[in-house]
Every structure is written in C-alpha cells, then in structure tokens.
Amino acid sequence: MFSWKEIPIGAIVTAPGSAKEYRTGDWRSQRPEWDLAKCIKCGLCYIYCPDASIGWKQDDGYPWWDEYHCKGCGICANECWTKAIHMVEETE
Amino acid sequence: MDKYGLYVPKLAPRKEYFAPGHRACVGCGEMLAVRQVCKALGRETIVINSTGCIEIVSSLFPQTTWEVPWMHTLFENAAAVASGVESAIKVMQRKGKYRDKKVNILAMGGDGATADIGLQALSGAFERGHDLLYVCFDNEAYMNTGIQRSSSTPYGAVTTTSPTGKKSIGQQTQKKNLPAIAVAHNIDYVATASPAYPFDLMDKVKKGVNTKGPAYIQVFSPCPTGWRSPGELSVALARLVVETGVFPLFEVVKGKYKMSMEFEKLRSIKDYMKPQGRFRHLTEDDIDTIQARVIEEYNKLKEKAYGQ
C-alpha cells in the first residue's frame, strides 16, 4: 500500500483495470462445474457472467472459468440451455 | 461486430472494458448490464459516472475496474459534467489540439441519480442537445446506501424507508415514467433495455451513441441484495420483467415508438413477484390491482406504438 507521500496528485489511478489483481474468488461458496458432453459451446454463460469470468479454450472451444474472480453466483448454471453447468459446494 | 441481431454470444466483442475484480454483490445484474454496455461501446469512450453502486464497487482506491477513461461525479451532475466533456472535446478538435475522431461520451447513473437527484442536470443536457448517451441503470431503489426508496421504486415494494405494516403496503406511489420524460424533451433516441437480452441492449447502445445529439437508455438491473431475491435468478428476473409487461422493451426514434419485444400473451405478474422478498407481503387483491395497472400501462404503450 501507499504512504501518504506516495499518493498520486488528485488520487488518480493510472493503471487501467488494476482491480483484476483483487481476488474476488475468495467470496465463493459454490463453484460451477461443466458436463462437457452436454455443452453445445453456445457462449451463453460467457455473455451472462457479471464478473467476466468465463471464456473459451483456444484449442477445443469449450468454456473455461476464472477461479480467481468467479464469485459463484450461479447465473451460468441457471441460464444454461442444456443444463451442462451445475453448482457444487466449495469444500476447500 | 455489427450483427447483434444474431443471437450468437461468441460474436460479441471479446475485450472487457469493465474488468473482473469489481466488488459488486454476488449475482449483480447491474454490473452485468454495465459490462454489456461497455462491450458495445468499445475503446473510444469516456465514461462519466455519478455516485452509486457502479462507482463504489468499481473504484476502490488504489485500484480501478475501468479500462476506459472514467470520471466520478456527484449524484446530481453526471449529465452536466458529460456536457462539459463533450463541449471541451468539440472546442479542442476545432483548435486542432485533439485527434479528429468521434469519441463516445457515456454518462451513467443509477435510478436515484437519474430520476430524483440528477433530473434537472439531465433535463438541461437534453435541452442543450449535447452529443452524449445517458444510460440509467434502474434497480428501483437507492441500493448503495442501504435500499431507500426512490421515485423509481414500483408500487408495493418494500424498502427500508417504505416498510410494510398495518397501515402501509410498502411503496405507496407509482414508478416514475422516466423514458416518457426523456421523450418529452424531443430527443432523437430513447430506449429501454434489459441485460437478459444482451444483443438487443448492445444494439440499442450502439444506436444511441451514433445518434447525433442526446440519447437516453434505461436499463433494467436486477439487485439480489435489495430485492431479497436469489443471486442466480438475476438474469431470469430481468427476462421475466419483460415477459410480464412490467418493464416493456421499446425504442423511440425521433418521437416514433417501436416495440422491441412482443408477446402474444403476457405472463402473470405473480411469476415475476414470487422470487422477490420485497413483494412477499402483497395479498391476492394487491397483486390483482398491480396486474390491472401493468396491463393498462402496456396497452397505452402499444397504442403509442401502433395507434398513429
């Protein structure tokens, strides 16, 4: 963190998107799990994720999720057309 | 990508201008809407944000969620500051001090900042005809400060300042019709959108920002914390509110109303109210009253769209 001498003038933040460093994944109490046999690669989970934590793997086009930022809200599991996603309790 | 008419989420721009790591509640519908709006606008954007949930969760010093220039203003003057930014860019372009390229000016605020506190600045910006897009994220109360009622809270909803009891049904007044107020300013583009229809939303944002002069979009944003609803139902609620006719999607281009979503038969309002704790106390009679009012408003809107 800063001391008061290092705070930039006007308290501006110069690094764009620096909140990515913050681990919101720690809030999670349940995690999404994919049944890839049912996944049709439609990308609906990607467009409905409030935390922008779902993307695609480059090689096979199946979704991956970002454990660092996913808050485990369950919107993806609720919205998935083919019910390929289900939420499981976090046990760690 | 301009083909938002196709329902192919993979065609949406991949780049996130509203990065992950924001501190919004689990299942926040407002951040989902902000993310979709930013996706549609792209990199050449300046965001002016009034106080509210969006500002609080996205800018915890020394970090920021934004990947575009972003400015925080007070509750009341997001539209005024956006007008100033737009005018300054215009002058600097005329003097050759700024690159000659269109910059999207996006002013955003919650429903409290738009309907109550910032209404006069917004009205002024519309009247002066600045080239900006104002997006109101309507979560139907002051959620950031602890769920106080705003003039955008619907009839019957419980908030901390409109509690339910023997003599009170919750919020006692009807929701303020902000899109109609914007239309009354004779601006070229007014629309309503919902994050459950992301391509419709992105399409409207693109149209709004490419309109010369002011444009206004009201985006419905479910709030699981304030509405006492489960977080995973945020998108489902944003869809139900359209299917029940409580928040119909339409756009007004140069004064002409056009419906964006049409249903042969509206769903019962109970489907929408049941998952939400803020409507839990309503009796059958109350729900019938609200249902009648919803249908009346919907028919009025349809008349505007098809009547002339």
Side-chain angles (χ1 to χ4, degrees), chain B:
Chain B
M1 276 298 172
D2 289 318
K3 293 218 163 180
Y4 290 130
L6 288 169
Y7 204 90
V8 187
K10 284 191 174 183
L11 289 183
R14 296 282 185 95
K15 179 91 178 102
E16 303 290 347
Y17 296 99
F18 189 72
H22 56 76
R23 273 74 146 178
C25 309
V26 174
C28 181
E30 191 165 0
M31 296 314 129
L32 173 60
V34 174
R35 178 180 164 231
Q36 290 171 357
V37 168
C38 291
K39 256 184 196 301
L41 286 176
R43 193 165 163 267
E44 303 291 329
T45 306
I46 296 174
V47 181
I48 290 92
N49 193 179
S50 58
T51 310
C53 275
I54 310 169
E55 173 255 329
I56 298 293
V57 301
S58 68
S59 64
L60 275 90
F61 191 75
Q63 290 174 335
T64 177
T65 308
W66 297 90
E67 305 218 358
V68 288
W70 175 87
M71 193 190 291
H72 166 228
T73 72
L74 302 178
F75 248 130
E76 55 268 39
N77 58 2
V81 173
S83 315
V85 171
E86 190 259 356
S87 304
I89 287 177
K90 220 194 263 171
V91 170
M92 277 159 74
Q93 277 174 343
R94 195 167 61 220
K95 290 182 177 171
K97 288 182 179 170
Y98 198 84
R99 64 209 155 125
D100 207 12
K101 200 172 175 186
K102 184 181 158 53
V103 182
N104 305 328
I105 312 288
L106 170 68
M108 55 164 75
D111 58 291
T114 310
D116 297 344
I117 308 175
L119 189 59
Q120 65 139 294
L122 181 67
S123 177
F126 285 164
E127 183 264 325
R128 292 188 298 269
H130 291 284
D131 189 6
L132 57 89
L133 170 66
Y134 194 100
V135 182
C136 165
F137 293 93
D138 183 5
N139 51 17
E140 307 196 319
Y142 289 88
M143 296 308 181
N144 165 38
T145 47
I147 325 168
Q148 286 88 8
R149 72 161 281 260
S150 77
S151 58
S152 193
T153 310
Y155 177 76
V158 166
T159 62
T160 49
T161 47
S162 65
T164 175
K166 271 183 201 155
K167 298 264 171 98
S168 165
I169 181 178
Q171 168 77 330
Q172 290 170 0
T173 55
Q174 299 289 351
K175 180 169 172 150
K176 192 187 266 186
N177 193 345
L178 264 176
I181 294 174
V183 171
H185 286 82
N186 278 334
I187 61 174
D188 281 356
Y189 193 79
V190 177
T192 58
S194 159
Y197 299 92
F199 294 92
D200 179 63
L201 190 151
M202 290 191 215
D203 203 17
K204 281 172 175 164
V205 170
K206 281 244 164 187
K207 269 188 207 167
V209 88
N210 289 329
T211 307
K212 246 193 150 27
Y216 174 81
I217 299 178
Q218 183 150 349
V219 181
F220 190 79
S221 352
C223 174
T225 309
W227 297 3
R228 320 286 189 217
S229 63
E232 70 264 25
L233 291 185
S234 285
V235 173
L237 283 174
R239 190 177 297 115
L240 274 171
V241 78
V242 177
E243 287 175 352
T244 53
V246 179
F247 188 87
L249 299 189
F250 61 90
E251 52 185 353
V252 189
V253 186
K254 297 195 170 148
K256 281 223 166 84
Y257 279 78
K258 185 177 162 249
M259 302 294 282
S260 310
M261 296 277 157
E262 290 195 59
F263 303 97
E264 286 186 4
K265 197 172 176 295
L266 293 177
R267 283 179 75 159
S268 164
I269 196 171
K270 278 183 199 162
D271 298 346
Y272 167 62
M273 287 184 165
K274 210 177 169 191
Q276 298 180 46
R278 61 174 180 160
F279 292 123
R280 192 171 46 196
H281 60 289
L282 294 179
T283 58
E284 289 288 318
D285 287 352
D286 298 334
I287 293 176
D288 287 346
T289 320
I290 297 172
Q291 175 81 70
R293 161 122 188 153
V294 164
I295 289 174
E296 189 193 324
E297 289 286 317
Y298 192 78
N299 286 341
K300 262 189 214 165
L301 183 67
K302 263 194 157 175
E303 211 171 280
K304 278 180 194 164
Y306 301 111
Q308 304 104 355

Side-chain angles (χ1 to χ4, degrees), chain A residues 18-19 46 48-49 56 71 79, chain B residues 14 24 35 39 64 196 239:
Chain A
S18 52
Y46 155 75
Y48 282 146
C49 182
W56 298 283
K71 292 175 192 158
E79 292 303 316
Chain B
R14 296 282 185 95
R35 178 180 164 231
K39 256 184 196 301
T64 177
R239 190 177 297 115

